[in-house]
Amino acid sequence: MPELIPVLKKKDINNMVVQIARRISSDYQDHELILIGVLKGAFVFLSDLMLNLSIPVQVDFIRVASYGSDTSSSGRINLTKAIEIDVKNKDVLVVEDIVDTGLTLSYIIDYLKSFQPKTVKVCTLLDKRQRRQANVKIDYACHIVTEGFLVGYGLDYDEDYRNLPEIYHLQL
Ligand code: IMP
């Protein structure tokens, strides 16, 4: 049986989201900000994040597939849902659940830049730096993780565990 080891409690997650939302609200005052959530993993974080922002934003989603049922990136990335909002000359903030190798994020940034936004920045709930391969800049990170595969609060393992309200280290 896989073991779930607690990493972040509800209270910790909430504090982090409130703090990062405060920073984003201050940095993007008087900007036309569009949040682009990366499906499926980021939908829970994006939902909490936007509810804590004190500035108006628009929201869209992108979906890419890079992971199968394994716990490491395949490096092969397919766009399976394009953006629908026009981001030209707008400020875009990519909202990710977790950045691991950075290959997915690098692909997403290149894709978004092709629509000529004014700026593209990145906000992630979890920044897993140890296995980073792509040179991507994370502008807002709630929490840095050093190792392991995490699930809960939107993050899955083979589509399971997304609905857990807290974040766990999955030991297979
Ligand atoms: P990267 O391309 O290696 O940075 O992988 C990014 C994507 O892989 C994330 O958006 C997640 O969907 C998934 N991923 C990476 N690490 C984890 C993890 O620890 N738990 C759950 N999903 C993960």
Side-chain angles (χ1 to χ4, degrees), residues 67 71 98-101 126-132 143-150:
Y67 269 60
T71 56
I98 185 162
V99 182
D100 183 8
T101 62
L126 303 167
D127 184 357
K128 192 155 84 176
R129 297 176 173 174
Q130 212 174 36
R131 300 195 302 182
R132 194 65 39 87
H143 185 72
I144 294 161
V145 288
T146 46
E147 57 180 319
F149 195 84
L150 303 176

Side-chain angles (χ1 to χ4, degrees), residues 5-80:
I5 298 151
V7 174
L8 291 169
K9 296 258 173 227
K10 242 176 169 176
K11 192 160 62 74
D12 304 322
I13 300 169
N14 191 51
N15 286 343
M16 288 170 187
V17 174
V18 167
Q19 299 270 335
I20 218 101
R22 227 175 255 158
R23 278 180 56 203
I24 293 168
S25 301
S26 154
D27 292 352
Y28 285 96
Q29 242 169 29
D30 305 317
H31 288 250
E32 287 185 278
L33 181 60
I34 302 175
L35 304 178
I36 307 278
V38 184
L39 293 172
K40 295 180 196 175
F43 80 99
V44 180
F45 173 47
L46 183 136
S47 158
D48 277 352
L49 179 69
M50 69 175 189
L51 294 176
N52 280 282
L53 293 174
S54 59
I55 52 166
V57 292
Q58 293 186 346
V59 178
D60 202 353
F61 291 96
I62 186 176
R63 184 156 183 214
V64 290
S66 64
Y67 269 60
S69 58
D70 202 354
T71 56
S72 63
S73 180
S74 65
R76 289 188 307 274
I77 294 144
N78 297 316
L79 181 79
T80 56

Side-chain angles (χ1 to χ4, degrees), residues 36-171:
I36 307 278
V38 184
L39 293 172
K40 295 180 196 175
F43 80 99
V44 180
F45 173 47
L46 183 136
S47 158
D48 277 352
L49 179 69
M50 69 175 189
L51 294 176
N52 280 282
L53 293 174
S54 59
I55 52 166
V57 292
Q58 293 186 346
V59 178
D60 202 353
F61 291 96
I62 186 176
R63 184 156 183 214
V64 290
S66 64
Y67 269 60
S69 58
D70 202 354
T71 56
S72 63
S73 180
S74 65
R76 289 188 307 274
I77 294 144
N78 297 316
L79 181 79
T80 56
K81 189 212 162 295
I83 52 164
E84 291 163 49
I85 292 180
D86 183 7
V87 299
K88 189 166 180 177
N89 297 325
K90 303 279 172 64
D91 291 302
V92 168
L93 185 62
V94 180
V95 180
E96 261 283 23
D97 53 350
I98 185 162
V99 182
D100 183 8
T101 62
L103 295 171
T104 308
L105 188 57
S106 170
Y107 174 93
I108 290 170
I109 291 170
D110 286 347
Y111 165 77
L112 291 172
K113 280 187 174 165
S114 72
F115 296 97
Q116 298 170 277
K118 195 182 343 169
T119 61
V120 180
K121 291 195 176 180
V122 175
C123 173
T124 188
L125 175 69
L126 303 167
D127 184 357
K128 192 155 84 176
R129 297 176 173 174
Q130 212 174 36
R131 300 195 302 182
R132 194 65 39 87
Q133 290 177 36
N135 184 20
V136 283
K137 180 170 181 253
I138 312 285
D139 300 281
Y140 304 93
C142 289
H143 185 72
I144 294 161
V145 288
T146 46
E147 57 180 319
F149 195 84
L150 303 176
V151 295
Y153 194 69
L155 287 95
D156 76 309
Y157 172 68
D158 206 8
E159 296 302 331
D160 287 326
Y161 309 110
R162 285 195 206 279
N163 63 314
L164 298 176
E166 308 195 320
I167 295 174
Y168 298 86
H169 180 187
L170 180 73
Q171 210 129 57

